[in-house]
Amino acid sequence: MKRTWVGAATLGVLSLAGCEQDETRPNYEYAPDMVSSVPYDSFASNPNTADGKTLLTPAKGTVPRGHVPLKLTAGTEAAEKAGRELRNPYPASPEVLARGQTAFQRYCTPCHGSGGLGDGPVTARFPVPPSLLAEHAMALPDGRIFHIITHGQGLMPAHGSQVAPEDRWKLVHYLRSLQHPARTARKETP
């Protein structure tokens, strides 16, 4: 019984000690190391990890949230396979075409020009890219164009790390609107 009173009295004193009425004085803090620990900066060295780095590399095979990995690699065979298997998941709409136009202006216009003719401003110093309005380009399936944007082809570098997959598909729609303006206009009208 005596222990119960001592325990209750101790608990009461500790409770009241934390409820200081004077707001200009700090309260008592129990276990301050748990409240204000010393963190390591992301890129600082860390003696607690095996490689000495605070920012650890992700485990092998992990995929970021919201990212759908493309199972096709670079190369001609993979590009042909993409042309056969990949389908554009976005229907042509004014919003899709507007986003595709924005992506085209940012990433394609420097080489291919604003109309896709291969007359961009960098062609003065680099080889002229092919026209995107040529019959060969018009005959390419959407999946193959998506693959070319992702992995590059010939002298064209890969843009997969710069352009999000949904923007690549929307860019394909915009390219088709440049190639076949009448066909795209028919798709947009109800």
Side-chain angles (χ1 to χ4, degrees), residues 1 12 19 38 40 48-49 62 74 85 103 107 116 127 132 135 137 150 156 161 167 171 178:
M1 181 83 168
C19 299
V38 180
Y40 288 96
N48 301 312
T49 59
T62 57
E85 297 179 1
Y107 302 106
L132 299 175
E135 293 214 17
T150 306
M156 178 180 157
S161 63
D167 285 345
L171 200 151
L178 288 177

Side-chain angles (χ1 to χ4, degrees), residues 3-164:
R3 286 185 183 187
T4 307
W5 281 102
V6 171
T10 306
L11 183 61
V13 169
L14 287 175
S15 297
L16 292 174
C19 299
E20 182 69 37
Q21 296 298 321
D22 185 8
E23 294 178 2
T24 60
R25 292 182 47 195
N27 293 330
Y28 294 102
E29 190 175 313
Y30 178 74
D33 291 343
M34 294 178 69
V35 174
S36 54
S37 63
V38 180
Y40 288 96
D41 290 330
S42 298
F43 295 99
S45 60
N46 188 337
N48 301 312
T49 59
D51 61 355
K53 298 177 184 174
T54 300
L55 189 63
L56 303 175
T57 55
K60 187 174 183 168
T62 57
V63 177
R65 286 184 183 165
H67 176 74
V68 179
L70 183 64
K71 303 248 188 279
L72 299 173
T73 58
T76 307
E77 289 179 18
E80 290 173 4
K81 184 177 180 183
R84 288 189 308 270
E85 297 179 1
L86 297 181
R87 299 288 175 258
N88 197 331
Y90 297 96
S93 68
E95 295 83 20
V96 166
L97 290 174
R99 183 63 187 168
Q101 181 179 16
T102 300
F104 186 86
Q105 289 172 346
R106 286 184 185 157
Y107 302 106
C108 307
T109 300
C111 296
H112 292 284
S114 59
L117 297 172
D119 58 352
V122 300
T123 59
R125 306 193 95 198
F126 294 99
V128 177
S131 170
L132 299 175
L133 306 181
E135 293 214 17
H136 170 72
M138 290 181 177
L140 292 174
D142 289 354
R144 181 139 186 193
I145 295 172
F146 178 87
H147 186 275
I148 290 170
I149 297 168
T150 306
H151 293 288
Q153 175 177 296
L155 295 176
M156 178 180 157
H159 287 82
S161 63
Q162 298 167 317
V163 186

